[in-house]
Amino acid sequence: MSDAIIASTVLWGFVFIYSVMATMDFGAGFWSMVYLDREKTGATNIANRYLSPTWEVTNTFIVALVIAIYSMFPGAAYTLGTILLVPGSLILLLLALRSAFLVFSNVATEYRKILTYISGVAGILIPALLISVLPISHGEYVNFGDDGASLDLGKLFTSPNEYAFIGFAISSTLFLSSLLLSDYSKVSNEPEAYKVYRKDAMIAGPISLVMAILIMLTLRTEANWIYDKMMDDLPLLIASICFFLVGGVALYLPFFTKHNVTGMPRAAVVAITIQYLIASYVYGKAHLPYMVYPNVTIESGFTDPNSFRAVFATYIAGFAILFPGFVYFWKMFMKDSRYLQKKQSKNPLKGG
Amino acid sequence: MDHVTIARAMFGTTMGFHIIFATIGVGLPLMMLLAELMYQKTNDFHYAVMAKRWTKAFAVLLGVGIPTGTIAGVQLSLLWPGFMEVIGRVMALPFQIEIYAFFIEALFMSIYVYAADRIPPWMRIISLTLVAIGAVASAVLISNVHAFQGTPAGFRVENGRIVDVEPWKAFFNKSFLVTAGHVALSAYTTGAFVVASVAAFKMLKAGAGSMLYGFHKKALMIAVIAGGIFALLTALNGHATTQHVFEDQPEKLAAAEGLFETQTHAPLTVIGWSDKEDREVKWGIEIPWLLSFLAGNSFDTEVTGLNDFPEELWPPLWVHTMFNIMFITGSLLILLAIVTVFWDKWLKKDMFPKFLLWIFVLSGPASVAAIESGWILGCSGRQPWSIYRTLSTANSVTATGNLGLLYTLFIIVYAILGAAVVFVLLYYFKRNTVLDDIHRAEQKGVPLFGSNS
Ligand code: HDD
Ligand code: HEM
Ligand code: HEM
């Protein structure tokens, strides 16, 4: 494997981890807004309990991702920075409002409603813009001129392909987050919340599958090169759909616990994660070697070999140092029953 | 404004906004740690209440510090892709390592805040220590990129291509230690005086002799002692920083000092502003020979004036004012701390005179102003270079035009966030007074930290 392939694999890994964490994060924010007025189900409570300790950690991943891109592929920095200036800035603006108001909503309890609405709505728009990076990187909306590349916003926002991606981002966010939250509510022993989230997952799941198919259909006409290369891996795509079905079955499957709750959310979570993993592997592989089609490839963008080695060494060292921290964090917030089953009146975060 | 100017203004605005929260984000965890340690030492639960309240403020400030930092990081590559191309090739390490520092801060901050009632006190202190280390490490690392911009190292440019990259040599560039030290020390100074500011204001409101007065006085004293020590260290290190700038970026030093004529026995000019037409500082006060001494530890040191540099390579001349604000504030903070400690420990007075408290109220905003000035001096004083004598700012900027609208949107969002954060802090601390917290701490079985989150 060449260094550039290793680097793009690392990058792909970051993208995948971030997408799962971000869908959870933005989705949980959205659900906590939707169920704000239905206190007795505890659904908002569950979403907040997940969200409060994790949003900072999730946010750090997006920073890690951006830094990984320009430290491993600085040759792509100029083109990427230029074409992503407008969508990137919009994401940043929304992200700023979202994070700040999320924190504020837990502090200024009297204004909780309006603050939660702002952060919930801003949060659900972010995945829609984030995913737009993918169609932009396919190249049809980029004009390569003599003085660099530029993005044709008009063309981007009139393309059905872009909207298929947006639809997929939003439905996937809702799907993955409700699925994970249903699991989280089950571990937390909150049957009411569990039922709510399981139902949401059952609705959002099929929609996201339809959106994924729409993406393929529109890719075929708009970015045929990547469509063809993805179709080379048709068996894997089919495997991915099979895992989706497994996930669906696991949700419906009767499963006996002391609360008589049906479904096996944990199994569904695993199956669906595998589904997304396979699908994004196929997509990522088809995307290679292009970073921005057709002018920027991973080879042309790749950094100096000395730099790459140094950066890679810090990945290993950093991971070794951080791993125990992540495990401790996981234990504290995902496993500790004292945290998960905290019975609090309205909101576990209520200050004072 | 032309394209480069808007980009510069836009990035400068982002940084100017982020730095307020970032600096307090470095300084406040140290203050929290000091309060926790005082609590373990004295068993006076007032200190635990203090730590708890500062943690709350810190958590709210993070709500702005983190997203604005994210903006800074991403905007750097969106607005200055030419710059990031070089940085990515040569100087990626600090950014990369900074990520680990962010993770440490984020993980243990959540643990400290949301798990405080489930972990033993020693683990609380360890978590908090890791938060403080994470915060200062991120400041040190990001300042290293700034240091590299002034003293680039670890690569050569051959026919416009970057060759012979040695990433660790770039990392340990010449001004790394002194710059990082200055940033870290000045952040601790600022964190302490911001705390002092609030405590002094509360003392003025509480009225001498009351229990609240005593509570806030304890906070004030921690802040003054820590702040005084750090202000002194900042100034000593500032002297070293000045010498580095003298050696490595002489035009920046000349502009900062308002020196036009090259000379030995150069005077230090304080106050006043540089006049480009007449090539002199108007209304300044000259302290003879001092600049030569500061720059080279000897009155015979020859300091190069701006006249010996081509005018198109001059930094903006108003950085002289920025230097003054920083330098004068730093000196006054040291004086303030000495007077206060003298008053409290030597004269053993229980009460502070009102005017002294009012000076304290001003000391926090003044430190923040010093930070802002220092950074504007650092970044604008480097112009027209983005990497000194290697890459110009004009060659770093994005090719995408029409930044005006985006700039306006960013300003609006910063205004909203700035107003909201002040409002939320005031709202929260009005509704949860010190007395509430003290009362809660006195009751058995009601965990003080459980209410922290
Ligand atoms: C509380 C804040 C504070 C205080 C009291 C001081 N500084 Fe400072 N100074 C900073 C906060 C700061 C800063 C914001 O942190 C800067 C910006 C860039 C940097 O490295 O640190 C800075 C930069 C900076 C620079 C420019 C470095 C560069 O261009 O890279 C010089 C020459 C000095 N300082 C010198 C001093 C001196 C002689 C001081 C005497 C008291 C002083 N500073 C006090
Ligand atoms: C020297 C000046 C700076 C200092 C002292 C500083 C310090 C900090 C600190 C302490 C934080 C943690 C959040 C907080 O406590 O508010 C933070 C966040 C952040 N800063 Fe800065 N920063 C500085 C400049 C920059 C610059 C120039 C960039 C961009 C390149 C940047 C990027 C970030 C990012 C991305 C975050 C968010 C991290 C996260 O997601 O957890 N900072 N900064
Ligand atoms: C956090 C405090 C900081 C503030 C308040 C600040 C302020 C500014 C200002 C005002 C400008 C515009 C300069 C001009 O055109 O006159 C600027 C430019 C710039 N700053 Fe800083 N800065 C800060 C920290 C940093 C750090 C830590 C870095 C390094 C990562 C950095 C990198 C840059 C770059 C790349 C530019 C673009 C223009 C140039 O290259 O000179 N800044 N900053």
Side-chain angles (χ1 to χ4, degrees), chain B residues 8 11-12 15-16 19 76 80 83 95 142-143 145-146 149 316 318 372 375-376 379-380 382-383 385-386 393 396:
Chain B
R8 284 161 58 183
F11 191 68
M15 292 314 308
I19 196 63
L76 204 54
W80 309 105
F83 171 72
F95 279 112
I142 195 73
S143 324
V145 181
H146 171 74
Q149 289 179 269
W318 42 259
E372 298 277 359
W375 277 107
I376 296 173
C379 278
S380 296
R382 188 183 54 237
Q383 300 307 317
W385 302 108
S386 155
T393 307
S396 313

Side-chain angles (χ1 to χ4, degrees), chain B residues 126-421:
Chain B
I126 289 186
S127 302
L128 189 51
T129 309
L130 287 169
V131 171
I133 291 177
V136 74
S138 54
V140 163
L141 288 159
I142 195 73
S143 324
N144 191 15
V145 181
H146 171 74
F148 172 87
Q149 289 179 269
T151 52
F155 68 103
R156 282 188 312 115
V157 180
E158 214 177 80
N159 306 326
R161 286 178 52 88
I162 292 175
V163 293
D164 289 346
V165 176
E166 293 179 71
W168 286 107
K169 222 174 185 168
F171 188 96
F172 291 106
N173 65 80
K174 202 169 152 206
S175 52
F176 166 41
L177 286 179
V178 70
T179 301
H182 198 57
V183 171
L185 292 169
S186 63
Y188 287 145
T189 310
T190 307
F193 280 102
V194 166
V195 165
S197 238
V198 177
F201 186 73
K202 292 290 173 87
M203 285 164 80
L204 281 165
K205 276 190 26 186
S210 61
M211 195 257 271
L212 276 181
Y213 190 90
F215 175 88
H216 291 298
K217 192 178 160 215
K218 285 176 202 162
L220 183 77
M221 286 317 293
I222 304 186
V224 170
I225 292 170
I229 294 172
F230 283 118
L232 185 64
L233 294 175
T234 307
L236 292 176
N237 170 286
H239 176 56
T241 310
T242 312
Q243 296 193 338
H244 265 264
V245 174
F246 165 67
E247 280 174 32
D248 302 322
Q249 302 176 66
E251 32 317 31
K252 188 191 265 183
L253 184 81
E257 311 288 6
L259 186 76
F260 289 89
E261 289 291 332
T262 300
Q263 52 192 285
T264 59
H265 302 81
L268 183 74
T269 314
V270 281
I271 325 190
W273 60 87
S274 306
D275 187 302
K276 199 163 187 166
E277 304 284 289
D278 297 348
R279 304 206 161 191
E280 62 174 17
V281 177
K282 295 269 160 83
W283 305 102
I285 303 167
E286 285 194 0
I287 309 172
W289 300 6
L290 188 59
L291 179 56
S292 278
F293 185 76
L294 284 179
N297 288 338
S298 138
F299 298 118
D300 294 329
T301 311
E302 187 178 75
V303 185
T304 318
L306 284 170
N307 289 342
D308 283 353
F309 296 101
E311 215 175 300
E312 65 274 13
L313 292 185
W314 285 11
L317 294 184
W318 42 259
V319 295
H320 176 59
T321 309
M322 299 295 137
F323 184 73
N324 277 321
I325 295 176
M326 177 176 65
F327 177 81
I328 294 171
T329 310
S331 313
L332 292 181
L333 290 179
I334 300 172
L335 193 68
L336 178 61
I338 293 176
V339 168
T340 308
V341 172
F342 179 75
W343 185 271
D344 186 71
K345 299 274 176 268
W346 211 278
L347 302 181
K348 301 224 181 295
K349 305 263 188 185
D350 273 344
M351 311 293 163
F352 288 118
K354 276 209 165 127
F355 78 91
L356 187 65
L357 289 178
W358 276 113
I359 296 177
F360 271 114
V361 173
L362 293 179
S363 70
S367 328
V368 173
I371 290 279
E372 298 277 359
S373 317
W375 277 107
I376 296 173
L377 162 67
C379 278
S380 296
R382 188 183 54 237
Q383 300 307 317
W385 302 108
S386 155
I387 298 175
Y388 186 62
R389 293 197 180 160
T390 306
L391 179 71
S392 71
T393 307
N395 283 335
S396 313
V397 75
T398 172
T400 305
N402 292 324
L403 296 175
L405 178 64
L406 286 178
Y407 186 27
T408 316
L409 289 176
F410 275 104
I411 291 182
I412 293 172
V413 167
Y414 296 150
I416 293 174
L417 294 187
V421 76

